[in-house]
Amino acid sequence: MKIKDLTQVWIIGNDYVILNLPIVTYSVQPHWRNNFEPNNANHRYIASFKSSIILNQTFENEYKCEEDARKGCEKHLTNLLEYLFTQLNKVVEIKIGNT
């Protein structure tokens, strides 16, 4: 499975980005510790997510830049969807077309 380009789906604000889907929401924002770090080169971004799907997988949440954080969220989303479809495959039969 490959996720399509999500560039147009991210909601971009002044200092945050959000990916809001029916099953999960991801948020990326500047790390709160940036206020105590005078060197901008050391500033980080923190990513978080909220979902009703329980996935036994670690979620890396500190990144050097917003783009890396978005990629991390999209990687996590891919794994989440693979897990979801694997679980659904056990209980749902999907028929495509009239067959």
Side-chain angles (χ1 to χ4, degrees):
M1 178 180 74
K2 182 179 182 208
I3 291 186
K4 296 179 180 183
D5 180 15
L6 298 177
T7 305
Q8 300 300 318
V9 182
W10 283 95
I11 300 166
I12 301 172
N14 289 336
D15 61 349
Y16 65 88
V17 291
I18 296 173
L19 176 61
N20 189 21
L21 300 173
I23 59 169
V24 65
T25 299
Y26 292 93
S27 172
V28 175
Q29 57 194 2
H31 200 291
W32 62 270
R33 285 185 282 180
N34 290 349
N35 294 331
F36 306 106
E37 178 58 60
N39 185 353
N40 287 348
N42 293 334
H43 282 193
R44 300 280 186 260
Y45 284 81
I46 191 161
S48 60
F49 78 99
K50 183 173 183 175
S51 176
S52 59
I53 300 170
I54 299 170
L55 174 65
N56 187 15
Q57 175 195 339
T58 59
F59 179 67
E60 187 69 37
N61 65 349
E62 272 193 48
Y63 297 90
K64 289 185 178 185
C65 67
E66 182 184 293
E67 183 180 342
D68 288 348
R70 280 200 240 178
K71 287 178 184 176
C73 292
E74 291 176 8
K75 179 180 175 186
H76 185 265
L77 176 60
T78 299
N79 293 336
L80 182 77
L81 290 173
E82 286 176 359
Y83 173 78
L84 176 64
F85 289 133
T86 300
Q87 296 304 309
L88 285 176
N89 193 35
K90 296 175 184 176
V91 296
V92 176
E93 182 178 332
I94 300 173
K95 291 186 179 182
I96 299 175
N98 293 332
T99 57

